[in-house]
Amino acid sequence: MAQSDFIYASRDSAAGVKMSVSVYADRVHVRAMLADDAAAIGLPVLHSGGLDGLFGADSPPLPQIVMVDCPDASADRLAQLAELDVRVAQAGTNLIVSTSVASLDGVFGCLDQSGAQILVDPSRAERTLAIGRIMARDPHLRVAELSEEDRLTLLRLTEQVSEMAARLDRIVPPAAMDEEGGSAFRLESPRPAFAQASDADGSERLIRAARPPLPDPRLIRRIIRQRQLRRRFFEGDLFADPAWDMLLDLTAARAEHIRVSVTSLCIASAVPPTTALRWIGQLTDAGLFQRVEDEADRRRVFIALTDQAADAMARYFAELGSNAVRLV
């Protein structure tokens, strides 16, 4: 049965706008898979070809969604991805890049302006969900015409995205939402405590209490090992808490004065890399993580705690005191 395209209408115009996608991959079978996945959702494929066709003076205009497969990132390819990142950001379109664990650090370092979704060795379902997230969050487009078959496809896709959101809500309760219904990560440092002090004339005044130092990194590494030990006896998904695992890892790294790569942090999260990257993005948006450029290689970035997050972790462990050693 022929499947009709999803048709979108701009809220600012009565004219219909057809959302389309372009796919670029040097691996022919992956290129065909990307095109098939887009067509299955009902999105027409505007362009399809190797990666070289995406760059240069004759490169085609960018559609609403650009899907790129880049498993092996050479220096030249990374430079091209950085250029594409700027083009996508300027055009206001959407970028999905799939890569490998080996190339993750380089690819992540190149994509810092467009809000690209980075998928690591993704399944077809993960690629489809990435497209679904774009369709769900785009404020400028709305569905105008859908065939019944397309409606069912979109409904199934929306249900999958909703299930993911529900899992996040279970990890971070709705009470953590801000008053405007914003980020679920309301992870603010506690207001600094104050203590009373006496001046020479006997008058009282308030002084800001000293911030506690970061905990001993050996203690944090011990906690991390205890948390990892559970996976030897139970299914890992039962205890998945990537935000906390990454916060612990970065806290230890900050105390040890070492830098953490994106790949290393994904491993520390104990979840698949694509999932870990989404959490890194959320925690960065929440002001807890920050990108730190490598002075020796601007294409490489590290992830570190912000001062706000480091202060919150220090106060948290200070509050636990000697009980921290039993924390898992």
Side-chain angles (χ1 to χ4, degrees):
M1 178 183 298
Q3 188 175 36
S4 64
D5 296 335
F6 284 142
I7 304 297
Y8 292 81
S10 172
R11 290 175 180 169
D12 300 325
S13 172
V17 178
K18 182 181 291 186
M19 176 176 273
S20 58
V21 60
S22 290
V23 299
Y24 295 92
D26 289 334
R27 296 182 293 178
V28 177
H29 72 284
V30 173
R31 189 191 316 160
M33 187 184 304
L34 293 175
D36 288 345
D37 291 344
I41 299 174
L43 298 179
V45 177
L46 192 62
H47 297 283
S48 177
L51 286 176
D52 289 336
L54 185 55
F55 309 106
D58 297 329
S59 60
L62 299 177
Q64 288 87 348
I65 302 175
V66 180
M67 301 185 72
V68 175
D69 177 61
C70 186
D72 302 310
S74 64
D76 290 342
R77 189 65 80 196
L78 291 177
Q80 291 174 326
L81 285 179
E83 175 188 337
L84 176 63
D85 183 55
V86 174
R87 286 175 56 198
V88 169
Q90 292 175 343
T93 55
N94 301 277
L95 179 61
I96 301 172
V97 178
S98 58
T99 188
S100 62
V101 172
S103 297
L104 175 57
D105 284 327
V107 169
F108 185 90
C110 291
L111 305 176
D112 65 341
Q113 297 188 43
S114 64
Q117 295 187 65
I118 304 176
L119 312 178
V120 182
D121 297 324
S123 65
R124 301 189 75 168
E126 287 174 326
R127 291 193 182 99
T128 303
L129 285 171
I131 298 174
R133 280 189 289 272
I134 292 172
M135 296 167 66
R137 74 190 183 199
D138 194 323
H140 303 297
L141 300 170
R142 62 180 173 82
V143 175
E145 296 179 10
L146 289 173
S147 69
E148 188 60 32
E149 184 178 354
D150 289 340
R151 288 182 188 279
L152 293 175
T153 300
L154 183 57
L155 177 60
R156 287 193 293 268
L157 180 62
T158 303
E159 287 175 345
Q160 288 178 302
V161 176
S162 298
E163 288 172 4
M164 294 176 64
R167 291 183 64 184
L168 290 178
D169 286 341
R170 288 195 294 270
I171 295 173
V172 183
M177 297 289 286
D178 60 28
E179 294 178 358
E180 291 75 22
S183 172
F185 298 99
R186 187 164 183 167
L187 303 178
E188 300 174 353
S189 297
R191 294 183 178 180
F194 291 86
Q196 284 190 334
S198 299
D199 292 332
D201 59 3
S203 61
E204 299 289 334
R205 60 186 175 86
L206 293 177
I207 60 173
R208 181 170 293 185
R211 293 180 178 179
L214 287 172
D216 188 330
R218 293 172 296 182
L219 168 64
I220 304 176
R221 295 298 182 194
R222 178 179 175 183
I223 293 170
I224 292 172
R225 286 194 297 271
Q226 290 173 334
R227 292 173 63 82
Q228 293 173 341
L229 183 62
R230 297 179 302 189
R231 293 198 295 274
R232 288 177 52 187
F233 305 97
F234 303 97
E235 181 65 33
D237 289 345
L238 291 174
F239 303 104
D241 191 358
W244 185 239
D245 286 327
M246 290 190 287
L247 278 167
L248 287 172
D249 189 72
L250 290 181
T251 300
R254 181 167 175 134
E256 295 163 343
H257 304 288
I258 61 176
R259 298 189 292 187
V260 178
S261 69
V262 176
T263 300
S264 177
L265 190 59
C266 287
I267 294 173
S269 72
V271 293
T274 298
T275 303
L277 289 171
R278 287 198 293 270
W279 279 98
I280 290 173
Q282 291 278 3
L283 293 167
T284 301
D285 291 342
L288 299 180
F289 291 178
Q290 60 185 340
R291 297 166 63 107
V292 180
E293 288 188 352
D294 186 349
E295 298 84 358
D297 185 354
R298 290 304 178 93
R299 296 169 301 182
R300 179 181 174 87
V301 298
F302 300 96
I303 303 296
L305 293 180
T306 61
D307 291 339
Q308 173 193 11
D311 180 56
M313 293 297 286
R315 293 185 183 280
Y316 170 74
F317 276 95
E319 185 75 16
L320 287 176
S322 60
N323 292 324
V325 71
R326 294 191 294 272
L327 180 67
V328 179

